[in-house]
Amino acid sequence: MGKSKDKRIKKLGKKRIWLSVVGLLFILFFFFCIIMAILAASTIDVMQRKLSAGRKQSEKIAQLCEEYEEASVGDMGNTLLTYIDLLPEIEAVSIMGTEGEQKWSSNGVYPDMNRAADLDFLTDMLQLPTRVIVEEDYSRMFEIEDGTIFFSKDVLNKIDYQQLMDTENYFTTEESAPVIYFKVWFVMPAMQGNVMVLNQISLYASDLFMMLVSLAVCTFLLCVFTLYYMISFISVLVNMYRTTKLIYTDLVTGGDNWLHFVKKGTSLLKRKAPNRQWYAMIHLKMRKYRSFCTCFGVREGEELIEKFYCALKKQMHRKEIIAHRENAEFGLLMLHTSKEQLIARVNKMEEALNEVLPGMKFYFGVGVYQIEAGEQDVEQLYNNALTACDMLGEEAENKIAFFDVEMNKQRLWERMVEDDMDRALVNKEFKVYLQPKISTNEEKLAGAEALVRWIHPTQGFIAPDRFIPIFEQNGFILKLDDYMLEEIAAQQARWIAQGRKIVPISVNVSRAHFTREDLAEHIADIVDKYQVPHDMIELELTESAFFDDKRVLLNTVKKLREAGFIVSMDDFGAGYSSLNSLKELHIDVLKIDGDFFRGTEVGERGMLIVSEVIELAKKLNMKIVAEGIESREQVDFLAAQECDLIQGFFFAKPMPIDEFVEKYNEA
Ligand code: C2E
Ligand code: CA
Ligand code: CA
């Protein structure tokens, strides 16, 4: 699985969680601010009420002072002493000089004039008409700086309520313990110009009730919002779970999908396999699934896959996984103790799959890769299993193949061939080699076969059996055969122009061509471009073309012969040749495959058959070419049988055109 794909999928899930977490934190912070603001407001309110009461009582004292205009500071003080008890907020009265000199005090306490500056903010905030001085501030719940209120939890925690209650009389019950406490001096203008009267009041915020109410309101709101957020948070989690489930669910089987297989498989492979067991990656594929769908319908096909999935799942053990991949393919990660045990399990699985639809027989191709310790790339391992399965071909059989390194090499080779083939054609990397066909009676050149060689810029010389099968599978053979035909036609034309005597040259026509109705016309067009007589071009087809579209084959052969081309049947006797094809196919030349002669001495059964085939072909008016002839004995035997031409290493191997010209100059 691609890393960027991984990331994108993970992101899908994460994004929303973070949104909710951030939202929740934001709400929590918001309510914290509100609570603090309410606390501050209520505290300020309490203080404001106290201060205005204190101020009013201070004004009373100021009035009294006015009445004692003439009295000395001491007398005035003594008179004030009697009034202090009547004014509940006033705790002490002091008289000071304008320069701060201490003149008289009701209890011997004077304000610290140096602190006056600190308190300008209180004067502003509480809208006091006069300056205030604060002393003995035991705690400050908040600090004010540049008009901003900062709450300090530390300070609240530091208050020693017990000590406060012991030392002061203002607090009667514990509930009324103040959160803020300090003393304030009111400075009142005095009648005598050189003194001022200062009245001390205590300022403390202990209105816990108000605070509790605000706290309760906020807590309630907070709970509602938290609950709301919790619910939405949980719903996001549930959605996330569902999305994840959906991402990892296969839509055909309803079980785990490939993405899950890769994820889970990787984590299983990272861990140690159970004792004395190894993991194997398995690719299991139902053969002819397309035909099943064509007969019974796609929906039925999918239902079958679902049933297969369930049947396979039942066979899986703990720490083993399975997933549907595509069409009728499954990936399995299975434990095994030996190759034999694994094969037995796979066979059992195939039996189980065949019980899914009674009365119906299914065939499976299975590719296995036995995983070595440390291998964790699930996609790569599966690819190896796939490669193993690909090597099995498409026959309707139950087969199992184990991956080996050679398979991988073959895969890489195929990739290289497919990547380079187009460029090779343009760059004329495909070279025509000619192998002579020699007449048996005179032992002279009587024809030649054009065989392709690939001169690759980095790989060098490549023989056709390494790339022709690949081209036959991917269709490139059509282009290559046309190219070879055109090269031969052009070469023949050049030789004609040079006044040389030419012999028929055969080119191979792959069975892939026999799907096109106008193949004969197409071949004639290419040859006619160079105005080469048709009987100088021979076309070699294999019997296998019979199995594709017999009608097209018969028609094409007929048209080609009518147009004057020589048509030969290649590789007769190799593979599944049947004399039956000779009955229907009217051709000019029969090429007997080299296999007939290999490892067979003259006089053995093979030779008997060859002589009979030659006789039969003669009766059917065909010429005979014996291929792959490597010894004098073979040549002599064939000459005795009146075989017409011989092609083989005994006379010459396929060679480049220049060499051919040099060697057969007299032609
Ligand atoms: P083929 O058409 O049967 O070609 C004859 C093959 O037998 C050639 O192999 C040739 O080198 C080989 N041969 C000839 N005499 C002897 C001998 O005495 N002993 C042995 N052991 N082998 C002999 P080559 O050239 O490797 O070609 C292999 C096959 O590749 C050809 O078999 C043909 O099917 C295919 N092929 C080659 N060129 C082309 C082409 O241009 N188009 C198509 N469609 N197929 C081609
Ligand atoms: Ca051939
Ligand atoms: Ca042949």
Side-chain angles (χ1 to χ4, degrees):
M1 182 164 57
K3 280 193 178 133
S4 54
K5 184 175 79 179
D6 257 358
K7 273 189 193 160
R8 280 200 298 277
I9 290 169
K10 274 186 189 157
K11 241 183 178 178
L12 268 181
K14 276 190 178 166
K15 237 182 195 167
R16 298 173 75 182
I17 268 210
W18 281 113
L19 272 181
S20 320
V21 170
V22 168
L24 193 62
L25 289 178
F26 179 76
I27 289 283
L28 286 173
F29 178 72
F30 178 70
F31 277 102
F32 177 74
C33 289
I34 288 191
I35 290 171
M36 286 309 172
I38 291 178
L39 279 177
S42 59
T43 309
I44 290 166
D45 185 60
V46 170
M47 291 192 321
Q48 221 158 10
R49 277 191 279 126
K50 277 235 158 208
L51 277 168
S52 61
R55 200 188 75 206
K56 274 191 190 129
Q57 289 170 22
S58 293
E59 277 164 7
K60 280 227 164 78
I61 291 183
Q63 274 172 17
L64 275 169
C65 288
E66 263 165 39
E67 286 169 20
Y68 287 88
E69 210 171 316
E70 295 305 323
S72 68
V73 169
D75 289 348
M76 192 167 79
N78 288 335
T79 315
L80 288 176
L81 216 47
T82 52
Y83 282 98
I84 295 174
D85 292 340
L86 300 174
L87 300 169
E89 295 296 339
I90 307 294
E91 292 155 21
V93 177
S94 302
I95 297 173
M96 292 175 90
T98 44
E99 300 301 321
E101 325 85 273
Q102 299 173 353
K103 300 219 178 231
W104 178 89
S105 169
S106 61
N107 57 357
V109 176
Y110 292 93
D112 177 1
M113 294 307 281
N114 294 333
R115 297 190 58 88
D118 291 359
L119 272 244
D120 283 349
F121 79 86
L122 259 184
T123 323
D124 289 349
M125 192 174 74
L126 305 175
Q127 293 157 10
L128 296 173
T130 177
R131 214 155 64 110
V132 289
I133 300 162
V134 167
E135 273 195 351
E136 294 181 55
D137 47 332
Y138 287 92
S139 66
R140 282 212 198 152
M141 192 177 81
F142 52 80
E143 303 264 346
I144 296 186
E145 214 175 80
D146 298 334
T148 314
I149 304 177
F150 293 97
F151 294 91
S152 155
K153 214 172 159 194
D154 282 358
V155 174
L156 280 177
N157 292 339
K158 269 188 225 150
I159 297 173
D160 184 346
Y161 295 102
Q162 199 53 50
Q163 192 199 332
L164 280 176
M165 285 157 71
D166 291 347
T167 52
E168 306 292 334
N169 294 323
Y170 308 109
F171 323 111
T172 48
T173 63
E174 232 175 289
E175 294 92 84
S176 64
V179 286
I180 186 163
Y181 172 81
F182 46 84
K183 290 188 173 177
V184 174
W185 290 93
F186 280 98
V187 185
M188 304 306 294
M191 65 299 128
Q192 291 162 342
N194 60 345
V195 293
M196 51 190 176
V197 178
L198 296 108
N199 306 304
Q200 189 189 51
I201 68 160
S202 283
L203 209 55
Y204 61 95
S206 63
D207 207 340
L208 277 185
F209 175 73
M210 252 178 83
M211 288 181 210
L212 284 176
V213 168
S214 59
L215 207 66
V217 170
C218 284
T219 311
F220 173 74
L221 285 174
L222 189 68
C223 287
V224 169
F225 272 88
T226 310
L227 199 70
Y228 168 78
Y229 254 90
M230 280 311 212
I231 290 169
S232 68
F233 185 71
I234 290 167
S235 85
V236 165
L237 281 183
V238 169
N239 273 345
M240 234 182 70
Y241 173 77
R242 281 199 193 136
T243 315
T244 316
K245 194 95 186 96
L246 204 68
I247 290 174
Y248 291 126
T249 299
D250 179 63
L251 297 178
V252 176
T253 61
D256 297 332
N257 67 5
W258 189 247
L259 209 62
H260 181 269
F261 186 85
V262 173
K263 188 172 165 262
K264 189 80 203 285
T266 310
S267 76
L268 281 177
L269 291 176
K270 272 186 188 155
R271 279 179 252 147
K272 221 174 149 257
N275 225 2
R276 292 199 193 167
Q277 295 196 70
W278 292 270
Y279 274 112
M281 183 63 77
I282 294 171
H283 162 81
L284 184 145
K285 170 187 175 184
M286 173 194 160
R287 296 183 187 275
K288 310 277 176 209
Y289 175 64
R290 282 274 145 255
S291 315
F292 181 91
C293 291
T294 313
C295 290
F296 301 102
V298 175
R299 181 179 286 262
E300 283 68 14
E302 291 193 344
E303 273 170 20
L304 179 71
I305 296 302
E306 188 195 335
K307 284 180 185 150
F308 278 174
Y309 176 81
C310 296
L312 288 171
K313 183 105 192 167
K314 273 190 202 148
Q315 307 267 337
M316 303 305 282
H317 299 161
R318 231 171 62 80
K319 294 195 174 174
E320 295 184 335
I321 49 169
I322 173 182
H324 171 231
R325 195 174 146 85
E326 54 184 26
N327 297 327
E329 296 176 10
F330 295 91
L332 299 92
L333 187 62
M334 282 166 59
L335 287 163
H336 66 296
T337 48
S338 68
K339 202 168 168 179
E340 292 66 36
Q341 184 244 0
L342 189 66
I343 293 174
R345 276 191 72 190
V346 170
N347 288 339
K348 209 174 142 209
M349 280 178 170
E350 286 174 351
E351 277 168 29
L353 293 178
N354 264 305
E355 282 163 16
V356 156
L357 283 188
M360 216 175 241
K361 177 92 183 123
F362 299 110
Y363 295 97
F364 303 90
V366 177
V368 181
Y369 179 75
Q370 288 172 291
I371 300 171
E372 311 228 339
E375 291 184 304
Q376 289 167 8
D377 185 344
V378 173
E379 298 272 17
Q380 182 57 48
L381 301 174
Y382 184 75
N383 197 54
N384 292 347
L386 204 79
T387 305
C389 189
D390 280 354
M391 298 293 163
L392 291 175
E394 279 302 316
E395 298 103 74
E397 274 181 272
N398 279 340
K399 273 191 178 175
I400 177 163
F402 283 74
F403 177 89
D404 67 48
V405 181
E406 281 308 310
M407 287 179 176
N408 213 23
K409 276 196 196 151
Q410 179 59 20
R411 262 282 165 102
L412 289 173
W413 174 256
E414 283 172 19
R415 277 285 304 275
M416 194 284 290
V417 166
E418 297 200 330
D419 287 348
D420 292 357
M421 60 191 189
D422 286 304
R423 188 213 56 214
L425 196 65
V426 174
N427 294 351
K428 288 192 172 268
E429 287 169 26
F430 295 112
K431 298 284 179 219
V432 177
Y433 272 47
L434 292 174
Q435 189 180 27
K437 292 175 190 169
I438 305 293
S439 62
T440 36
N441 43 15
E442 289 176 288
E443 296 204 355
K444 271 191 168 172
L445 181 78
E449 179 176 2
L451 294 157
V452 69
R453 302 290 181 262
W454 186 349
I455 313 297
H456 193 277
T458 55
Q459 306 280 330
F461 181 94
I462 310 175
D465 54 353
R466 297 200 63 202
F467 56 87
I468 294 284
I470 303 172
F471 290 171
E472 274 172 343
Q473 276 207 330
N474 65 23
F476 189 73
I477 195 69
L478 302 178
K479 284 189 191 170
L480 182 70
D481 282 353
D482 283 359
Y483 170 82
M484 290 293 284
L485 177 64
E486 187 150 0
E487 286 289 296
I488 288 305
Q491 187 58 61
Q492 295 279 52
R494 275 197 294 276
W495 281 331
I496 292 170
Q498 287 164 8
R500 284 174 177 274
K501 188 172 162 264
I502 56 168
V503 289
I505 297 184
S506 59
V507 292
N508 292 285
V509 184
S510 163
R511 69 191 269 189
H513 291 270
F514 292 93
T515 47
R516 88 184 265 188
E517 300 262 1
D518 64 344
L519 179 62
E521 290 82 353
H522 176 70
I523 289 172
D525 283 349
I526 294 174
V527 175
D528 290 347
K529 224 163 73 178
Y530 299 92
Q531 295 179 325
V532 174
H534 290 182
D535 61 353
M536 286 296 117
I537 300 287
E538 184 177 328
L539 303 153
E540 296 190 6
L541 4 147
T542 52
E543 247 182 316
S544 58
F546 238 119
F547 304 113
D548 296 334
D549 193 334
K550 202 162 139 185
R551 191 184 54 81
V552 175
L553 176 70
L554 294 178
N555 231 346
T556 306
V557 169
K558 187 165 171 270
K559 282 196 273 181
L560 283 171
R561 294 185 75 215
E562 280 169 5
F565 290 103
I566 307 171
V567 180
S568 54
M569 185 188 282
D570 204 357
D571 301 340
F572 187 79
Y576 300 100
S577 296
S578 78
L579 292 172
N580 214 26
S581 54
L582 290 182
K583 191 178 76 186
E584 288 183 71
L585 203 57
H586 295 267
I587 46 162
D588 304 293
V589 180
L590 192 68
K591 290 189 81 181
I592 303 178
D593 195 76
D595 271 1
F596 261 120
F597 309 101
R598 255 179 284 287
T600 336
E601 291 309 314
V602 177
E604 285 185 10
R605 286 168 69 95
M607 288 306 165
L608 193 67
I609 296 170
V610 171
S611 59
E612 290 304 313
V613 168
I614 292 174
E615 207 181 315
L616 176 75
K618 289 257 169 238
K619 282 181 185 157
L620 290 170
N621 254 343
M622 289 187 235
K623 274 186 149 190
I624 311 288
V625 177
E627 279 190 286
I629 302 306
E630 293 178 350
S631 69
R632 173 45 72 187
E633 286 83 358
Q634 289 171 335
V635 175
D636 290 344
F637 167 77
L638 289 163
Q641 304 305 314
E642 291 182 29
C643 168
D644 300 286
L645 302 177
I646 289 176
Q647 180 185 346
F649 290 176
F650 176 73
F651 288 113
K653 286 187 174 180
M655 61 192 88
I657 293 179
D658 292 346
E659 203 181 311
F660 183 84
V661 171
E662 211 174 287
K663 208 164 180 180
Y664 300 95
N665 209 12
E666 74 281 9

